Amino acid sequence: METEIPAMLTARQQIRPERFTFHSSRMRMKTVRKEELAAMDAESDRCALELSDAAVDVMGYACLVAIMSMGPGYHRESQQRLRQRTQENGKDTPVVSSAGALVDALQVIGAKRVVVVAPYMKPLTELVVDYIRQEGIEVLDYRALEIPDNLEVARHDPAKLPEIVSTLDLAEADAIVLSACVQMPSLPAVAKVEALAGKPVISAAIATTYAMLKSLELEPVVPGAGALLSGAY
Protein backbone atom coordinates (compact mmCIF):
# COMPACT_ATOMS: atom_id res chain seq x y z
CA MET A 1 0.00 0.00 0.00
CA GLU A 2 2.72 2.44 0.96
CA THR A 3 5.05 1.64 -1.94
CA GLU A 4 3.37 0.48 -5.14
CA ILE A 5 0.12 2.46 -4.90
CA PRO A 6 1.91 5.80 -4.39
CA ALA A 7 4.33 4.77 -7.16
CA MET A 8 1.43 4.25 -9.57
CA LEU A 9 -0.36 7.47 -8.66
CA THR A 10 2.94 9.37 -8.92
CA ALA A 11 3.53 7.85 -12.36
CA ARG A 12 0.03 8.96 -13.35
CA GLN A 13 0.98 12.53 -12.49
CA GLN A 14 3.36 12.47 -15.47
CA ILE A 15 0.45 12.10 -17.90
CA ARG A 16 -2.56 13.64 -16.13
CA PRO A 17 -3.04 16.92 -14.20
CA GLU A 18 -4.32 15.55 -10.88
CA ARG A 19 -1.99 15.54 -7.88
CA PHE A 20 -2.19 13.27 -4.85
CA THR A 21 -1.17 13.19 -1.21
CA PHE A 22 -0.83 9.96 0.76
CA HIS A 23 -1.86 9.36 4.35
CA SER A 24 -1.68 6.13 6.34
CA SER A 25 -2.68 4.58 9.62
CA ARG A 26 -1.28 1.19 10.50
CA MET A 27 -2.77 -1.98 11.93
CA ARG A 28 -0.27 -4.21 13.74
CA MET A 29 0.70 -7.61 12.34
CA LYS A 30 4.05 -9.45 12.23
CA THR A 31 3.34 -13.04 11.25
CA VAL A 32 0.85 -13.76 8.50
CA ARG A 33 -1.44 -16.22 10.28
CA LYS A 34 -5.17 -16.26 10.84
CA GLU A 35 -5.11 -15.23 14.51
CA GLU A 36 -2.96 -12.17 13.89
CA LEU A 37 -5.01 -11.25 10.83
CA ALA A 38 -8.23 -11.26 12.87
CA ALA A 39 -6.63 -9.05 15.53
CA MET A 40 -5.35 -6.77 12.80
CA ASP A 41 -8.78 -6.44 11.21
CA ALA A 42 -10.22 -5.43 14.60
CA GLU A 43 -7.98 -2.35 14.47
CA SER A 44 -9.36 -1.17 11.14
CA ASP A 45 -12.11 0.91 12.78
CA ARG A 46 -9.48 2.92 14.65
CA CYS A 47 -7.53 3.48 11.45
CA ALA A 48 -10.59 4.68 9.53
CA LEU A 49 -11.41 7.11 12.33
CA GLU A 50 -7.85 8.47 12.45
CA LEU A 51 -7.67 8.97 8.70
CA SER A 52 -11.06 10.68 8.60
CA ASP A 53 -9.52 13.46 10.72
CA ALA A 54 -7.45 14.30 7.62
CA ALA A 55 -10.59 14.61 5.45
CA VAL A 56 -9.12 12.33 2.79
CA ASP A 57 -11.11 11.74 -0.40
CA VAL A 58 -10.86 7.93 -0.42
CA MET A 59 -9.53 5.27 1.92
CA GLY A 60 -8.02 1.93 1.00
CA TYR A 61 -7.90 -1.07 3.32
CA ALA A 62 -4.66 -2.67 2.24
CA CYS A 63 -4.53 -6.22 3.61
CA LEU A 64 -6.26 -8.59 1.19
CA VAL A 65 -5.82 -11.74 3.25
CA ALA A 66 -7.05 -10.09 6.47
CA ILE A 67 -10.38 -9.51 4.71
CA MET A 68 -10.56 -12.80 2.83
CA SER A 69 -9.71 -14.86 5.93
CA MET A 70 -12.82 -13.47 7.65
CA GLY A 71 -15.17 -15.35 5.34
CA PRO A 72 -16.89 -15.03 1.94
CA GLY A 73 -18.07 -11.56 0.98
CA TYR A 74 -16.58 -9.91 4.08
CA HIS A 75 -15.13 -7.02 2.07
CA ARG A 76 -18.63 -5.59 1.61
CA GLU A 77 -19.34 -5.66 5.35
CA SER A 78 -15.93 -4.16 6.15
CA GLN A 79 -16.16 -1.33 3.63
CA GLN A 80 -19.64 -0.38 4.80
CA ARG A 81 -18.66 -0.44 8.48
CA LEU A 82 -15.49 1.59 7.98
CA ARG A 83 -17.34 4.21 5.96
CA GLN A 84 -19.80 4.45 8.84
CA ARG A 85 -16.88 5.21 11.18
CA THR A 86 -15.98 8.19 9.00
CA GLN A 87 -19.59 9.37 8.99
CA GLU A 88 -19.63 9.25 12.79
CA ASN A 89 -16.66 11.62 12.67
CA GLY A 90 -18.53 14.14 10.50
CA LYS A 91 -17.06 12.93 7.21
CA ASP A 92 -18.37 10.56 4.53
CA THR A 93 -15.35 8.93 3.01
CA PRO A 94 -15.61 6.13 0.43
CA VAL A 95 -13.67 3.03 1.48
CA VAL A 96 -12.24 0.46 -0.90
CA SER A 97 -10.43 -2.73 0.07
CA SER A 98 -7.76 -4.61 -1.81
CA ALA A 99 -9.89 -7.76 -1.43
CA GLY A 100 -12.97 -6.18 -2.96
CA ALA A 101 -10.90 -4.31 -5.54
CA LEU A 102 -9.28 -7.51 -6.76
CA VAL A 103 -12.51 -9.42 -7.34
CA ASP A 104 -14.13 -6.34 -8.88
CA ALA A 105 -11.17 -5.81 -11.20
CA LEU A 106 -11.34 -9.38 -12.47
CA GLN A 107 -15.00 -8.81 -13.27
CA VAL A 108 -14.18 -5.49 -14.98
CA ILE A 109 -11.83 -7.21 -17.44
CA GLY A 110 -14.24 -10.11 -17.88
CA ALA A 111 -11.95 -12.73 -16.39
CA LYS A 112 -13.85 -15.90 -15.52
CA ARG A 113 -10.81 -18.18 -15.09
CA VAL A 114 -7.58 -17.07 -13.41
CA VAL A 115 -4.31 -18.27 -11.91
CA VAL A 116 -3.04 -16.76 -8.66
CA VAL A 117 0.34 -16.14 -7.02
CA ALA A 118 0.25 -15.40 -3.29
CA PRO A 119 3.00 -15.10 -0.65
CA TYR A 120 1.00 -16.74 2.12
CA MET A 121 1.28 -20.17 3.70
CA LYS A 122 -0.80 -22.74 1.85
CA PRO A 123 -3.82 -22.79 4.24
CA LEU A 124 -4.20 -19.00 3.98
CA THR A 125 -3.68 -19.12 0.21
CA GLU A 126 -6.48 -21.67 -0.01
CA LEU A 127 -8.75 -19.26 1.90
CA VAL A 128 -7.93 -16.59 -0.69
CA VAL A 129 -8.58 -19.01 -3.57
CA ASP A 130 -11.91 -20.07 -2.03
CA TYR A 131 -12.91 -16.42 -1.51
CA ILE A 132 -12.27 -15.63 -5.18
CA ARG A 133 -14.23 -18.70 -6.22
CA GLN A 134 -17.15 -17.62 -4.02
CA GLU A 135 -17.23 -14.43 -6.09
CA GLY A 136 -17.89 -16.49 -9.22
CA ILE A 137 -14.36 -16.60 -10.61
CA GLU A 138 -12.72 -19.97 -11.27
CA VAL A 139 -9.15 -20.35 -9.99
CA LEU A 140 -7.49 -22.86 -12.31
CA ASP A 141 -4.10 -22.98 -10.61
CA TYR A 142 -2.25 -21.16 -7.84
CA ARG A 143 1.11 -20.91 -6.14
CA ALA A 144 1.55 -20.35 -2.39
CA LEU A 145 5.06 -18.98 -1.77
CA GLU A 146 4.72 -19.83 1.94
CA ILE A 147 6.45 -16.77 3.41
CA PRO A 148 5.22 -16.43 7.01
CA ASP A 149 7.05 -13.24 8.02
CA ASN A 150 5.29 -10.07 6.88
CA LEU A 151 8.54 -8.15 6.36
CA GLU A 152 9.96 -10.97 4.26
CA VAL A 153 6.85 -10.78 2.07
CA ALA A 154 7.80 -7.18 1.29
CA ARG A 155 11.36 -8.25 0.47
CA HIS A 156 10.36 -10.89 -2.06
CA ASP A 157 12.14 -10.13 -5.34
CA PRO A 158 9.58 -9.38 -8.09
CA ALA A 159 12.16 -10.50 -10.65
CA LYS A 160 11.36 -14.07 -9.55
CA LEU A 161 7.70 -13.77 -10.54
CA PRO A 162 7.97 -14.49 -14.30
CA GLU A 163 9.61 -17.86 -13.57
CA ILE A 164 7.00 -18.63 -10.89
CA VAL A 165 4.20 -17.84 -13.33
CA SER A 166 5.80 -20.11 -15.94
CA THR A 167 5.19 -23.09 -13.64
CA LEU A 168 1.42 -22.46 -13.59
CA ASP A 169 -1.07 -23.90 -16.06
CA LEU A 170 -2.04 -20.80 -18.04
CA ALA A 171 -3.63 -22.43 -21.07
CA GLU A 172 -7.28 -21.75 -20.17
CA ALA A 173 -6.72 -18.72 -17.94
CA ASP A 174 -8.25 -15.35 -18.84
CA ALA A 175 -5.94 -13.40 -16.52
CA ILE A 176 -3.05 -13.73 -14.05
CA VAL A 177 -3.19 -12.46 -10.48
CA LEU A 178 0.51 -11.79 -10.08
CA SER A 179 0.34 -10.83 -6.41
CA ALA A 180 -2.76 -11.46 -4.29
CA CYS A 181 -1.20 -9.23 -1.63
CA VAL A 182 -0.44 -5.50 -1.56
CA GLN A 183 2.59 -6.25 0.61
CA MET A 184 4.36 -8.42 -1.97
CA PRO A 185 5.91 -6.30 -4.74
CA SER A 186 5.09 -7.20 -8.32
CA LEU A 187 4.81 -3.94 -10.29
CA PRO A 188 8.27 -4.21 -11.95
CA ALA A 189 7.31 -7.63 -13.36
CA VAL A 190 3.84 -6.83 -14.68
CA ALA A 191 4.78 -5.76 -18.21
CA LYS A 192 7.20 -8.69 -18.64
CA VAL A 193 4.65 -11.28 -17.50
CA GLU A 194 1.96 -9.78 -19.75
CA ALA A 195 4.35 -9.95 -22.69
CA LEU A 196 5.45 -13.51 -21.96
CA ALA A 197 2.00 -14.90 -21.19
CA GLY A 198 -0.04 -12.84 -23.63
CA LYS A 199 -2.68 -12.38 -20.94
CA PRO A 200 -3.72 -9.44 -18.72
CA VAL A 201 -1.95 -9.27 -15.38
CA ILE A 202 -3.52 -7.84 -12.23
CA SER A 203 -2.20 -7.46 -8.70
CA ALA A 204 -3.92 -6.45 -5.48
CA ALA A 205 -2.10 -3.10 -5.63
CA ILE A 206 -3.09 -2.46 -9.26
CA ALA A 207 -6.71 -3.34 -8.52
CA THR A 208 -6.76 -1.08 -5.45
CA THR A 209 -5.33 1.81 -7.47
CA TYR A 210 -8.01 1.29 -10.11
CA ALA A 211 -10.74 1.24 -7.44
CA MET A 212 -9.40 4.42 -5.82
CA LEU A 213 -9.26 6.29 -9.12
CA LYS A 214 -12.81 5.21 -9.99
CA SER A 215 -13.99 6.33 -6.54
CA LEU A 216 -12.35 9.71 -7.16
CA GLU A 217 -14.11 9.85 -10.55
CA LEU A 218 -10.74 10.08 -12.30
CA GLU A 219 -9.66 8.27 -15.45
CA PRO A 220 -8.17 4.93 -14.29
CA VAL A 221 -4.97 5.12 -16.29
CA VAL A 222 -1.37 4.60 -15.15
CA PRO A 223 1.59 4.02 -17.49
CA GLY A 224 3.35 0.69 -17.11
CA ALA A 225 0.78 -0.78 -14.71
CA GLY A 226 -0.74 -3.45 -16.90
CA ALA A 227 -3.96 -3.92 -18.83
CA LEU A 228 -6.42 -2.79 -16.13
CA LEU A 229 -4.79 0.67 -15.93
CA SER A 230 -4.08 0.98 -19.64
CA GLY A 231 -7.17 3.13 -20.24
CA ALA A 232 -9.08 0.27 -21.89
CA TYR A 233 -11.41 -0.08 -18.90
Side-chain angles (χ1 to χ4, degrees):
M1 177 64 87
E2 294 170 326
T3 53
E4 292 197 340
I5 292 175
M8 281 184 271
L9 293 178
T10 299
R12 188 186 186 278
Q13 292 179 171
Q14 307 305 310
I15 61 169
R16 294 294 185 273
E18 293 83 18
R19 296 296 177 262
F20 304 93
T21 62
F22 308 101
H23 309 261
S24 63
S25 179
R26 300 183 66 83
M27 301 172 284
R28 297 193 66 210
M29 189 262 288
K30 293 183 179 180
T31 304
V32 191
R33 56 192 182 94
K34 201 172 190 306
E35 295 78 9
E36 284 200 41
L37 291 168
M40 174 185 172
D41 181 69
E43 295 190 42
S44 61
D45 293 69
R46 168 185 58 80
C47 292
L49 184 63
E50 289 174 356
L51 288 171
S52 67
D53 284 343
V56 296
D57 296 310
V58 63
M59 293 185 192
Y61 186 136
C63 190
L64 178 141
V65 71
I67 292 283
M68 291 192 176
S69 66
M70 297 292 284
Y74 179 71
H75 69 275
R76 298 177 182 88
E77 176 186 333
S78 172
Q79 290 166 192
Q80 182 179 13
R81 188 187 73 248
L82 297 179
R83 185 166 189 168
Q84 187 176 342
R85 296 291 89 81
T86 75
Q87 293 167 344
E88 292 165 357
N89 196 31
K91 309 295 190 296
D92 185 12
T93 309
V95 178
V96 304
S97 68
S98 54
L102 181 66
V103 295
D104 289 347
L106 293 172
Q107 291 163 355
V108 164
I109 67 171
K112 298 183 182 301
R113 298 174 301 275
V114 302
V115 296
V116 175
V117 180
Y120 318 118
M121 304 303 286
K122 192 170 183 179
L124 281 178
T125 302
E126 289 173 345
L127 286 178
V128 168
V129 167
D130 287 343
Y131 195 102
I132 294 170
R133 286 172 174 159
Q134 289 287 332
E135 294 291 326
I137 299 159
E138 186 177 358
V139 179
L140 301 175
D141 200 0
Y142 69 91
R143 173 62 58 85
L145 301 184
E146 301 200 271
I147 308 171
D149 184 276
N150 196 42
L151 295 180
E152 289 304 315
V153 171
R155 296 186 184 110
H156 186 266
D157 185 357
K160 296 178 179 178
L161 289 171
E163 183 179 353
I164 290 168
V165 170
S166 73
T167 67
L168 297 170
D169 184 0
L170 304 176
E172 302 298 322
D174 300 318
I176 298 164
V177 178
L178 193 59
S179 175
C181 174
V182 289
Q183 176 80 337
M184 186 177 82
S186 64
L187 191 58
V190 168
K192 182 174 183 178
V193 173
E194 283 194 334
L196 290 173
K199 298 175 187 290
V201 169
I202 289 178
S203 71
I206 287 170
T208 305
T209 301
Y210 179 90
M212 286 180 157
L213 288 169
K214 293 292 283 187
S215 178
L216 294 168
E217 298 182 352
L218 297 176
E219 185 183 6
V221 56
V222 173
L228 181 67
L229 291 168
S230 67
Y233 303 96

